[in-house]
Amino acid sequence: MADAPTPYERFIQGILPENPVYRQLLGLCPTLAVTNGLNAAMTMAGATAFVLFCANIITSLIRDLLKPHLRIVIFTLTIATFVTIADRFLAAYMYQMSKTLGPYIPLIIVNCLIICRCEVCASKQSVVHAGMDAIGQSIGFALALASIAAVREILGTGMLFGMRVLPEIWPDWVVMVLPPGAFLTLGLLLGAVNWYGCKNKNNNEL
Amino acid sequence: MSYIVDILLIAVGAALINNFVLYYFVGICPFIGVSRKVDMAFGMGCAVTFVISIAAFLSWTITTYILKPGAPLSKWMAGFFVSPEMAANIDLTILCYIVYIFAISSSVQFVEMYVRKFFPALYKSFGVFLPLITTNCAILFACLTIMSNVAGVDNPADAWDLGRSLTLAVFGGIGFTIAIVIMAGIREELDLCDIPKPLEGAAITFVVAGILALAFMGFTGVDSGLKKALTPEPQETVQVQMIQTSQTLTCSGL
Amino acid sequence: MKPIEPMEPMKSSTLERIRNNYVVQAWLVLILAICFGGSLAGMQLALGPLIEANKINETLKKVPEMVLGAKKAEKLTKDQQLIIEPQTVEIEKNNRKVFYSVFKAKHPNGDPAGWVAKAVGQGYADKIEILFGMDNKLKKITGLFVLDQKETPGLGNKIMEEGWRQQFVKKKTATPLKVTKEGAKAAHEIDSITGATISSRAVCSIINTTIKDLRAPLSK
């Protein structure tokens, strides 16, 4: 297959050009829900990275044994198992964070991003390809979550990672850490990324 | 009477105050993808409500009878292999995510086959959405909420029964339908407006959703107000008290 | 030309073919299910006790602080650690059974140190869960901690702040607490948080109700 992307290409594609949130619009539920603060957002990104990586590796290892009409069942089973492992792990070692993230860790199971990567890449290419793809997509996801969380946390509470960054006179825009702020931030940042992409395309064409 | 008040509060909470889309952020993918036309949006909302209720019924039954600590069916099955005291402590909640997602996928499959065979007209209007609903966060979220209220409560008397679980599911679906239909109506108007090019598509939908979420925030506190209005003032009734010293284990401070 | 002889059909009964189809195709799912199930069971054995301990410690760790105050609780040495007895108090109120989780704290030599009660009530947005300590005779409040709340960040959220909660220490339980906006003057008044009157009132009403319910059972 001369056209299949190499591992390095998979890695680079996942970070910005095929960014899961800004380009593919996948995994929006956790993007909006846990980006109140950078701590929660990074924990969620880490959990998703773990599940994506393990699911990709396992799927790639058994890709030759997959039957077409049972593959979704197998993907789901694999993903659900690793999400359970990640959830219990968090509850055991980071109890407070697990309570903050609440029901959004199990919702990684229905995160379209992971099933999509299993379907598109892991079930068709070798373990190395799948692994690099998983790492690339996870970094892209983490970047997206970090950008939104940083904006919401700074404007909403004047803190980053729980440490005060803006001076005391900053009137906290509480709405940013509430649901409307999540939607507005994502919408405007999406617009900014699109604008940047259009500008680049225009520059390249000229 | 207090049961009906409970149901009413859960219903209002799930549909308006803690709206699945605009407060809990579940079900965003169809919210963005299917909300271009009002009739499609309504069809999607109905399909989601239908599947959520079936999934909620399944998950409540499975949790209560098989998964939760000390559940009857598991206790009976384990009684064949281990002693009765050990069987009484059986706790299968570790399997709950896997079981739920398979319950949801299989119920969606069966519903699709059933609707395609027996209600072809209905299938034409919303059957095409059904496979998409399997990965809809809203269904799994409803199942998880029901599980946390059945198996995650400290006090077994507070565990939700089937009525409360179904109310949460159905009215959660209705709330989703309300949100998606409003969004579809707005987007139909937006199609005729001049939107800046970078914001076209998903970005402007999110900005509008943000304003909608702001509006729905106005419902906060409605349930505590309703509760106060509907619950009669408690009189100084005679209190019968019992003290049970549970768990004679004494733990030291730290 | 010689007639082409028809090939012999493959010998296989229909039953065998069907069995081949489904089981062979599902064997991977079954094997994976068994493997994953085993790993989950192993993980539950390893992490289950840790998670249970986390849940219990969340409240247990706060008990000395509630009863003795933060500074004294920190200074306790290892053999001065309090003995904590969890209890469940069941009360029948308005024909409904209500359960309260109560902790009795004792000094190592057996002297009672105080009581800590866990109570839940409706706040502005959702339920508020608090832990508050009382002295031995249930006459004074010795500490307050908010375990769980979903109030508005920046407004109702401030009930978690140390400064506001300190108001409750040394309040007498004989008169129900009242929230005032002007500035607490009388002994049973609490300053409300600016912009979060309902959350402040909710905390006070939870404390008042709990004290009223638990006074008789705990005094025995």
Side-chain angles (χ1 to χ4, degrees), chain A residues 29 32-33 104 179-180 183, chain B residues 9-28 31 48 52 137-138 141-142 145 168-183 209 212-221 223, chain C residues 125-126:
Chain A
C29 298
L32 293 165
Y104 294 105
F183 284 113
Chain B
L9 290 176
I10 295 178
V12 170
L16 295 175
I17 307 173
N18 298 331
N19 186 297
F20 272 19
V21 179
L22 298 173
Y23 184 82
Y24 283 126
F25 307 111
V26 287
I28 297 278
F31 186 67
V48 167
I52 263 196
C137 305
F141 181 78
T145 314
L168 174 84
V170 169
F171 280 90
I174 291 181
F176 175 81
T177 313
I178 294 177
I180 203 175
V181 168
I182 296 180
M183 179 55 93
L212 262 185
L214 204 53
F216 270 68
M217 264 176 70
F219 285 116
T220 320
D223 55 352
Chain C
D126 206 346

Side-chain angles (χ1 to χ4, degrees), chain C residues 147-159:
Chain C
L147 282 172
D148 201 24
Q149 51 82 22
K150 293 192 174 62
E151 308 295 283
T152 320
L155 293 170
N157 225 356
K158 295 205 176 134
I159 56 174

Side-chain angles (χ1 to χ4, degrees), chain C residues 175-193:
Chain C
T175 5
L177 298 170
K178 205 166 103 104
V179 161
T180 129
K181 293 196 212 179
E182 284 84 38
K185 292 183 212 78
H188 65 279
E189 286 185 352
I190 300 276
D191 249 333
S192 80
I193 298 174

Side-chain angles (χ1 to χ4, degrees), chain C residues 132 175-178 203-213:
Chain C
F132 71 96
T175 5
L177 298 170
K178 205 166 103 104
V203 173
C204 285
S205 98
I206 296 174
I207 296 182
N208 291 339
T209 321
T210 313
I211 293 182
K212 195 169 76 156
D213 287 340

Side-chain angles (χ1 to χ4, degrees), chain B:
Chain B
M1 182 59 202
S2 72
Y3 187 69
I4 299 191
V5 171
D6 257 347
I7 298 273
L8 184 64
L9 290 176
I10 295 178
V12 170
L16 295 175
I17 307 173
N18 298 331
N19 186 297
F20 272 19
V21 179
L22 298 173
Y23 184 82
Y24 283 126
F25 307 111
V26 287
I28 297 278
C29 293
F31 186 67
I32 302 293
V34 183
S35 59
R36 284 191 185 278
K37 297 251 170 286
V38 174
D39 42 5
M40 268 177 64
F42 187 67
M44 182 58 151
C46 288
V48 167
T49 312
F50 187 46
V51 176
I52 263 196
S53 13
I54 298 183
F57 173 75
L58 278 179
S59 69
W60 182 86
T61 324
I62 295 180
T63 312
T64 313
Y65 291 111
I66 302 181
L67 289 181
K68 80 170 181 193
L73 270 178
S74 327
K75 206 159 48 170
W76 176 72
M77 289 265 345
F80 294 138
F81 302 107
V82 293
S83 66
E85 305 89 48
M86 275 190 68
N89 280 339
I90 192 165
D91 180 3
L92 288 177
T93 43
I94 191 101
L95 296 176
C96 62
Y97 303 149
I98 303 182
V99 169
Y100 288 161
I101 193 70
F102 278 117
I104 295 173
S105 328
S106 29
S107 62
V108 167
Q109 284 284 78
F110 281 126
V111 164
E112 192 192 347
M113 289 196 288
Y114 186 71
V115 167
R116 189 171 11 189
K117 180 109 203 267
F118 292 112
F119 301 104
L122 210 58
Y123 185 71
K124 262 182 56 167
S125 58
F126 74 74
V128 67
F129 300 129
L130 284 175
L132 292 173
I133 296 182
T134 316
T135 50
N136 189 341
C137 305
I139 323 268
L140 191 59
F141 181 78
C143 293
L144 291 173
T145 314
I146 292 173
M147 181 196 80
S148 72
N149 279 310
V150 168
V153 286
D154 295 325
N155 179 2
D158 279 339
W160 273 11
D161 61 341
L162 188 57
R164 292 187 173 92
S165 316
L166 279 180
T167 313
L168 174 84
V170 169
F171 280 90
I174 291 181
F176 175 81
T177 313
I178 294 177
I180 203 175
V181 168
I182 296 180
M183 179 55 93
I186 297 179
R187 279 185 94 175
E188 277 184 357
E189 299 291 323
L190 271 184
D191 276 341
L192 309 167
C193 297
D194 249 341
I195 305 178
K197 193 140 193 329
L199 284 178
E200 268 175 17
I204 196 68
T205 314
F206 279 123
V207 173
V208 171
I211 302 176
L212 262 185
L214 204 53
F216 270 68
M217 264 176 70
F219 285 116
T220 320
V222 166
D223 55 352
S224 46
L226 265 180
K227 190 169 183 188
K228 241 191 275 192
L230 291 173
T231 326
E233 274 303 314
Q235 300 103 340
E236 292 300 312
T237 51
V238 176
Q239 292 181 343
V240 172
Q241 302 122 350
M242 297 154 26
I243 297 193
Q244 306 164 3
T245 311
S246 67
Q247 311 156 6
T248 48
L249 59 99
T250 54
C251 351
S252 73
L254 272 169

Side-chain angles (χ1 to χ4, degrees), chain A residues 52-206:
Chain A
L52 181 57
F53 187 71
C54 297
N56 259 13
I57 298 286
I58 300 266
T59 310
S60 189
L61 284 173
I62 58 174
R63 70 182 182 283
D64 292 325
L65 305 167
L66 291 174
K67 303 283 188 290
H69 49 275
L70 282 181
R71 70 185 195 292
I72 301 282
V73 171
I74 293 185
F75 294 159
T76 315
L77 184 61
T78 318
I79 296 173
T81 307
F82 284 113
V83 168
T84 313
I85 294 178
D87 179 53
R88 295 286 95 194
F89 205 75
L90 271 182
Y93 293 112
M94 295 172 75
Y95 189 63
Q96 278 304 114
M97 187 52 76
S98 148
K99 273 192 9 176
T100 314
L101 289 175
Y104 294 105
I105 295 279
L107 285 181
I108 298 180
I109 303 178
V110 283
N111 190 336
C112 309
L113 166 66
I114 307 189
I115 287 220
C116 195
R117 293 334 285 176
C118 280
E119 170 78 29
V120 164
C121 173
S123 59
K124 300 195 168 75
Q125 296 190 292
S126 77
V127 179
V128 182
H129 288 87
M132 294 304 281
D133 181 64
I135 297 180
Q137 292 283 329
S138 312
I139 295 184
F141 190 61
L143 272 179
L145 281 187
S147 57
I148 301 177
V151 170
R152 284 181 75 189
E153 198 177 3
I154 267 204
L155 292 179
T157 58
M159 299 198 261
L160 273 185
F161 283 115
M163 295 181 298
R164 188 98 208 166
V165 170
L166 291 181
E168 285 292 329
I169 54 171
W170 173 256
D172 299 331
W173 293 1
V174 177
V175 76
M176 297 306 276
V177 291
L178 295 174
F183 284 113
L184 285 170
T185 316
L186 181 57
L188 294 175
L189 278 180
L190 200 50
V193 169
N194 284 343
W195 174 78
Y196 186 69
C198 278
K199 202 170 74 136
N200 266 351
K201 211 163 59 152
N202 282 344
N203 280 345
N204 286 343
E205 280 169 11
L206 283 175

